[in-house]
Amino acid sequence: MNTPATASNPIARLLERIGRSVVVGIEAVGFTCSMFAEAVWWLLVGWRRKQPVRIPAVFAEMMDIGILALPILGVLSATIGMMLAIQGIYQLRQFGAESQVVLGVAFSVVREFAPLITGILVAGRSGSALAARLATMKINQEVDALWVMGIMPVRFLVAPPLLAMVIMLPLLTFFSMVLGLLAAGFYISADLGMSLPAYFDQVREFLSNDDFMHGIGKSLLFAVAIAMIGVANGASVTGGAEGVGRVTTRSVVHAISAIVIIDMLFAFMATR
Amino acid sequence: MMTMTTNETPAIEVHQLVTHYGERMILKGIDMDVRPGEIMVIMGGSGSGKSTLLRHLLALERPTSGNIRLLGQDINACDGQQLYELRKKMGVAFQSGALFSSMTVGENIMLPLYEHTRLDRKTMEIMVRLKLEVVNLAGFEHLMPSELSGGMIKRAAMARAIIMDPKLLFCDEPSAGLDPVVASALDDLILRLRDAMGMSIVVVTHELESVFKIADRVTVLDRGEILFIGSVDELKRSDNERIQNLLHRRAEDESLDTDAYLERLTGEQVILNAGL
């Protein structure tokens, strides 16, 4: 698809180039979607065809994506919760309304910051690893080897991480919410002299189930986006070790962009 | 032990195979067959289309036109399930080995059994040890592929290729890049597989020494066309100039570097093949 533009007129050439990249982009989205459909298909009917998605593989991925990410995610979530408390109190103090800080912190952690920071962290940690692994396997002819053994690569390589991601990301997001709120609570209780139980009472009063589901629902979409962007980029690798580096970087950039865009669209749809 | 398919149906039948990459025609009407229980060697320089032909034989790519029958079945007409069944009867040893780097050697070799059979773990482990014995790698099942040497990787890949006792075995450059002793041992192994298990074997190689040693018949590809099909003796007696060049230049000088060799083979026009 990298054929140089052929038109002589510079404007026509620009248009041609834009057109080409649009086609390439749509092709990539289509490829990703069809791979997603295939992975879901294998998850649903694979066991009936005696070609099941292996549960141990899913657990291994869950360990990798979820459990091993807990320490760094905990640190980040706590930091962000505290940061929100600091900024919130500083701003609200100007109106003498610092006791309202709990409302702001609770909403922003649960609805935005926890899903977003979890998504971005996992995209950087696991989405990139997924892309790199798949790309290396493809270049090493390991994907061909799967084909000729009669093992469908999507079932074997795509379905397990997809399922693991969809299970783990909401759980990680929940973990991030709790730690973010807790860290903010520590700061607020110290600064405003509010007791921790009183803080959590307030949080529970302000937050509805809707807010919670808003955050968790978003993380489900992020999970699909991270997994599929990772594997689709990995599968489209060309050109040796350098290509592996390229698709890995690209998968992180694409995944984070997708997360931010999905986040905005979701907020728009869910709040109207 | 494997029983041979009926002697009348060829193991592989290729009819008028044509394939394009974009505008470029890679294979220009290939006709060939592989008889049951024979070793067919496919030779040719870089850009001759031999890697592409192999990818077609493995049903990894669809041709522009023409058809391929594997064990009597037209692979273009196969649906997913039929292809799946067919693939259980095929084994492939890739050039790079293509062992899964996250699994041990034993797990690599066991994978087809684990996916396609319902044997219990003990039985599978015994079968793995048996195949490792066959390729002379007994006791290596707990190592990771990264801990193996080049020759050992190729032998492990061979063990994985034969774990399901296939009727059809494909070997891509089995002895390329190996020292002569190991290369010759691999050739012996291929001969043994044919004699003991009655496999039909397709070997893609340009190592003349192993061609002379193992081939029942040879197919020489040149620029996407078949230059020659026949026995090794016929190949040696051929008066085609390009074949003579291929045979003698190589025999005169064993220490040729690859680039010069390729250039001479293809007459300056080294086309880098996508399936490298």
Side-chain angles (χ1 to χ4, degrees):
Chain A
M1 271 292 152
N2 281 329
T3 26
T6 47
S8 54
N9 184 333
I11 294 173
R13 204 155 48 208
L14 181 70
L15 285 177
E16 189 181 333
R17 206 168 298 155
I18 292 172
R20 275 180 206 279
S21 0
V22 169
V23 170
V24 171
I26 292 173
E27 229 171 46
V29 171
F31 176 63
T32 313
C33 290
S34 72
M35 209 190 262
F36 174 63
E38 206 185 326
V40 171
W41 190 85
W42 281 114
L43 283 168
L44 295 179
V45 305
W47 56 274
R48 234 177 288 162
R49 299 204 153 204
K50 296 203 186 110
Q51 297 178 64
V53 175
R54 301 286 174 184
I55 303 300
V58 178
F59 274 109
E61 296 283 353
M62 280 166 67
M63 185 74 193
D64 218 31
I65 293 167
I67 310 299
L68 296 179
L70 285 178
I72 179 69
L73 181 63
V75 171
L76 284 187
S77 306
T79 313
I80 287 208
M82 212 169 275
M83 176 271 284
L84 283 173
I86 296 168
Q87 295 279 27
I89 289 174
Y90 170 73
Q91 287 296 327
L92 289 168
R93 191 161 275 157
Q94 297 180 8
F95 315 105
E98 56 263 52
S99 58
Q100 294 304 309
V101 69
V102 181
L103 180 69
V105 167
F107 271 124
S108 48
V109 165
V110 170
R111 291 178 73 103
E112 284 301 332
F113 281 96
L116 213 53
I117 199 70
T118 311
I120 289 173
L121 179 83
V122 172
R125 244 188 116 257
S126 307
S128 59
L130 213 54
R133 188 175 66 201
L134 222 75
T136 315
M137 289 188 75
K138 178 138 193 227
I139 283 173
N140 218 358
Q141 288 185 306
E142 290 172 42
V143 175
D144 285 343
L146 283 176
W147 275 114
V148 299
M149 279 184 211
I151 300 171
M152 300 303 270
V154 170
R155 168 175 76 89
F156 198 77
L157 297 175
V158 178
L162 176 66
L163 183 59
M165 194 73 88
V166 168
I167 295 172
M168 287 320 278
L169 205 61
L171 293 177
L172 285 177
T173 303
F174 178 67
F175 172 78
S176 166
M177 287 174 182
V178 171
L179 267 164
L181 288 175
L182 190 67
F186 278 129
Y187 186 85
I188 289 169
S189 64
D191 199 11
L192 302 185
M194 179 193 278
S195 78
L196 258 188
Y199 164 78
F200 272 110
D201 278 347
Q202 272 203 31
V203 167
R204 236 175 303 162
E205 195 183 313
F206 286 136
L207 289 181
S208 65
N209 258 348
D210 263 9
D211 299 317
F212 180 70
M213 290 320 289
H214 184 96
I216 297 293
K218 247 195 294 217
S219 74
L220 272 174
L221 295 182
F222 294 169
V224 173
I226 295 168
M228 292 322 297
I229 287 172
V231 291
N233 269 306
S236 63
V237 68
T238 49
E242 191 200 337
V244 176
R246 206 166 38 229
V247 295
T248 308
T249 315
R250 201 170 59 193
S251 83
V252 176
V253 174
H254 285 184
I256 291 178
S257 314
I259 285 172
V260 173
I261 292 168
I262 290 172
D263 187 52
M264 187 274 285
L265 290 177
F266 193 89
F268 179 74
M269 308 277 242
T271 52
R272 269 160 57 96
Chain B
M1 197 100 323
M2 188 75 47
T3 46
M4 228 175 258
T5 40
T6 45
N7 275 328
E8 293 77 45
T9 34
I12 300 177
E13 242 181 316
V14 180
H15 181 66
Q16 278 302 311
L17 188 71
V18 175
T19 202
H20 290 86
Y21 279 160
E23 301 281 287
R24 207 150 47 91
M25 198 189 244
I26 306 291
L27 297 176
K28 305 167 183 168
I30 302 286
D31 282 295
M32 65 172 286
D33 66 327
V34 178
R35 298 171 193 147
E38 83 168 343
I39 298 177
M40 169 63 93
V41 172
I42 300 177
M43 291 173 69
S46 184
S48 61
K50 65 182 193 308
S51 307
T52 310
L53 177 59
L54 182 68
R55 291 182 67 80
H56 281 299
L57 294 180
L58 299 177
L60 287 172
E61 256 160 64
R62 298 227 157 214
T64 313
S65 67
N67 54 42
I68 298 172
R69 287 175 170 279
L70 296 180
L71 304 169
Q73 249 183 317
D74 186 344
I75 54 173
N76 283 340
C78 280
D79 63 19
Q81 197 63 27
Q82 286 168 316
L83 205 54
Y84 171 72
E85 295 299 328
L86 191 58
R87 281 187 157 134
K88 291 194 219 168
K89 299 178 204 156
M90 292 161 51
V92 186
F94 283 93
Q95 184 173 3
S96 62
L99 299 177
F100 302 112
S101 47
S102 57
M103 302 179 188
T104 65
V105 171
E107 285 166 346
N108 260 290
I109 298 170
M110 198 187 287
L111 186 66
L113 289 177
Y114 181 70
E115 289 289 336
H116 299 316
T117 71
R118 301 191 152 196
L119 299 169
D120 61 287
R121 185 135 191 128
K122 264 253 140 6
T123 318
M124 291 196 285
E125 274 168 10
I126 291 170
M127 290 173 75
V128 167
R129 273 206 294 276
L130 226 84
K131 298 298 179 194
L132 279 172
E133 202 84 53
V134 171
V135 300
N136 238 330
L137 272 183
F140 284 83
E141 58 262 49
H142 299 301
L143 292 186
M144 300 303 284
S146 56
E147 297 170 291
L148 300 184
S149 73
M152 288 153 98
I153 285 177
K154 296 221 176 201
R155 279 184 284 159
M158 194 77 92
R160 188 176 67 182
I162 60 174
I163 187 73
M164 296 281 288
D165 288 333
K167 293 187 158 65
L168 248 179
L169 178 65
F170 296 88
C171 305
D172 191 6
E173 302 278 5
S175 46
L178 300 180
D179 70 76
V181 179
V182 179
S184 153
L186 267 166
D187 290 341
D188 289 336
L189 172 63
I190 290 172
L191 286 170
R192 218 161 55 233
L193 288 174
R194 178 199 58 186
D195 296 338
M197 329 259 282
M199 289 179 195
S200 315
I201 305 177
V202 175
V203 180
V204 174
T205 187
H206 55 250
E207 303 280 322
L208 278 177
E209 219 169 303
S210 61
V211 174
F212 293 150
K213 185 166 167 188
I214 63 176
D216 290 318
R217 287 193 301 152
V218 183
T219 301
V220 181
L221 275 184
D222 188 62
R223 286 164 227 184
E225 284 170 307
I226 292 206
L227 199 56
F228 171 88
I229 296 188
S231 69
V232 175
D233 284 336
E234 286 165 352
L235 180 72
K236 284 179 181 163
R237 274 187 272 118
S238 162
D239 48 12
N240 183 308
E241 196 187 337
R242 277 192 251 163
I243 290 179
Q244 283 306 317
N245 283 347
L246 187 80
L247 295 184
H248 288 121
R249 288 243 169 98
R250 184 73 180 136
E252 274 166 22
D253 184 2
E254 285 294 330
S255 58
L256 280 175
D257 66 331
T258 330
D259 284 351
Y261 173 55
L262 291 182
E263 251 179 32
R264 261 188 269 179
L265 260 190
T266 57
E268 307 267 332
Q269 257 201 321
V270 181
I271 305 160
L272 281 183
N273 200 311
L276 201 71

